[in-house]
Amino acid sequence: MMRYIKLVNFEINRFSKIYLSLLLITLVSQFAGVIIVTKSLLKDARDIMKEERLSEAAYITNYGSLDFNHIANTLLFVGPIALSAVALIFYIFLIWYRDWFGKNTFIYRLLMLPASRLSIYLSKATAIFLMVLGLIAFQIIILPMQNALFHSNVPEALLSEMSISTITIANPILSLIIPSSFTQFLLSYGIGLMIMSILFTAIMFERSFRIKGIIMGLLYCGIAAVLFLAPVLMEIGNFYFYPNELFGLMLGIGIILTGLSVWLGAWLLKNRVTV
């Protein structure tokens, strides 16, 4: 267990500089977005009121009030979230291939450690999942601050206040990364774990069989996608599922695929990937 924890800590430390950079980019970009977009919105509102000789009440009647959605839908706000997502998806591959193609071919030392190779597999998966949760927690912490900053800069007469829960529900990206219910959390992050385990297994296929492994990995990803989406595809035909039934089927298939992928990937790492 201690070796597993040390491996997780080791993997997180290896990505720490890039990870901290993503947090800093998110912090600076989003707060800059709040300030810049708010000033732009107020300038446009004042220009319209001046040109059309409107009162604040008349402006709201004609053009609507200002709320945080004007900020949350901008590139400065959602861009860092997308960048972080892409970086972590890329790291799913980098966390393995860096060990093989790095300067010192570190994978040889890693595989010769007096520890189960399953621990190596799980430590990499755990490190990525913890970093995902860390980014989400960071967003949850700074979002109320950004909302408060927006409220403090917009005149009360033009402001439409929004709670944090309303903001997250109204914005598609925020509603995806910050689930509003435990069921949605299971769905969003369960699917994320499943996809990561499937990609890990595809990488193990490639590392085990090289060129043939690429084809095997792609086939495995395709078959897993079809199996997971089978209930949805069945609904397009003549079958009908109640929402709870559909959720239960997809959850069950997702758990099976995740378990199978972890077992198969760990088996390949132990029996097919050689030092």
Side-chain angles (χ1 to χ4, degrees):
M1 186 64 181
M2 287 302 299
R3 288 196 181 99
Y4 163 73
I5 294 173
K6 288 179 180 179
L7 285 170
V8 172
N9 182 62
F10 173 73
E11 293 294 349
I12 292 175
N13 287 337
R14 294 176 82 190
F15 192 63
S16 59
K17 291 182 180 179
I18 298 175
Y19 189 68
L20 291 174
S21 298
L22 291 174
L23 294 178
L24 182 61
I25 289 170
T26 300
L27 182 70
V28 173
S29 179
Q30 290 188 348
F31 273 96
V34 173
I35 296 170
I36 293 170
V37 176
T38 301
K39 287 184 177 180
S40 177
L41 289 170
L42 290 175
K43 181 180 181 300
D44 291 343
R46 292 189 183 106
D47 289 343
I48 291 173
M49 285 188 286
K50 184 177 180 180
E51 291 174 6
E52 301 183 13
R53 298 180 180 179
L54 298 174
S55 65
E56 290 177 336
Y59 174 84
I60 291 175
T61 301
N62 293 338
Y63 296 97
S65 56
L66 304 181
D67 58 50
F68 196 82
N69 269 335
H70 290 88
I71 307 294
N73 291 320
T74 62
L75 182 61
L76 283 171
F77 192 89
V78 300
I81 298 175
L83 176 64
S84 299
V86 170
L88 287 173
I89 291 171
F90 176 72
Y91 194 62
I92 289 176
F93 297 91
L94 183 63
I95 200 171
W96 286 106
Y97 285 111
R98 176 179 56 185
D99 292 340
W100 263 282
F101 300 115
K103 186 176 180 180
N104 298 316
T105 318
F106 185 74
I107 191 65
Y108 296 141
R109 294 167 58 191
L110 197 60
L111 294 178
M112 293 179 69
L113 288 174
S116 167
R117 291 191 179 184
L118 178 61
S119 298
I120 298 172
Y121 181 100
L122 293 178
S123 67
K124 292 180 182 293
T126 303
I128 292 175
F129 190 64
L130 289 176
M131 286 186 280
V132 171
L133 294 182
L135 285 169
I136 303 309
F138 184 70
Q139 184 67 71
I140 292 173
I141 291 170
I142 64 175
L143 187 56
M145 302 178 192
Q146 295 161 350
N147 194 33
L149 179 62
F150 176 74
H151 286 177
S152 67
N153 282 280
V154 177
E156 189 175 346
L158 296 176
L159 177 65
S160 175
E161 293 190 15
M162 298 179 68
S163 66
I164 300 302
S165 59
T166 304
I167 292 170
T168 56
I169 292 172
N171 185 275
I173 294 179
L174 288 177
S175 65
L176 179 64
I177 66 171
I178 306 177
S180 58
S181 66
F182 183 68
T183 299
Q184 188 179 356
F185 174 84
L186 284 179
L187 190 61
S188 297
Y189 291 96
I191 290 174
L193 276 173
M194 180 189 69
I195 292 173
M196 179 174 65
S197 64
I198 290 170
L199 290 177
F200 269 21
T201 301
I203 293 169
M204 290 301 100
F205 272 120
E206 188 278 329
R207 287 290 82 197
S208 299
F209 304 102
R210 299 303 190 269
I211 300 300
K212 292 181 180 179
I214 295 175
I215 299 173
M216 295 168 70
L218 290 174
L219 284 174
Y220 183 78
C221 290
I223 292 170
V226 170
L227 288 174
F228 182 69
L229 296 174
V232 178
L233 297 174
M234 290 170 68
E235 279 210 323
I236 297 175
N238 297 323
F239 289 87
Y240 175 79
F241 298 107
Y242 290 105
N244 289 340
E245 292 176 336
L246 183 62
F247 172 76
L249 279 172
M250 296 187 75
L251 180 63
I253 294 171
I255 291 172
I256 292 171
L257 285 174
T258 302
L260 176 63
S261 297
V262 170
W263 174 81
L264 183 56
W267 184 87
L268 288 170
L269 182 63
K270 179 181 179 181
N271 297 287
R272 301 297 304 186
V273 177
T274 59
V275 177

